[in-house]
Amino acid sequence: EAKRQLAGWKVMKNAAAQPDGSLLYIHVISPVVPDADYSILNIVYDAFKDPAEQKAFYDSYRGALKAPLFVIQGPMTSDFSK
């Protein structure tokens, strides 16, 4: 299932820093795998079984977040690739 999820997952880094200096990364997932779990921690913990590696990732990931994550959902309004 992870390979199916990753096939439609793109990450973009905003070209300019935010006013407070932080960097913004945008995850675009299309198509979404129905009923799949897209939680970053669950995906990483599924791939890395060693508790020490899991904790190291968690500590790194937690320290990288400046603000809570949020989800933007909605229908496609324009597809210029067609």
Side-chain angles (χ1 to χ4, degrees), residues 4-52:
R4 288 179 53 216
Q5 286 175 273
L6 293 173
W9 196 331
K10 295 173 181 61
V11 180
M12 297 180 292
K13 179 180 175 183
N14 197 39
Q18 299 303 292
D20 65 0
S22 63
L23 301 174
L24 179 65
Y25 290 87
I26 303 155
H27 295 246
V28 178
I29 303 171
S30 180
V32 171
V33 176
D35 301 317
D37 181 358
Y38 283 90
S39 166
I40 299 289
L41 290 178
N42 288 342
I43 292 170
V44 170
Y45 288 1
D46 191 44
F48 297 95
K49 302 300 184 186
D50 178 15

Side-chain angles (χ1 to χ4, degrees), residues 27 40-41 55-66 69:
H27 295 246
I40 299 289
L41 290 178
K55 178 152 180 15
F57 176 82
Y58 174 81
D59 291 342
S60 174
Y61 187 69
R62 182 173 163 227
L65 298 177
K66 184 158 181 102
L69 300 176

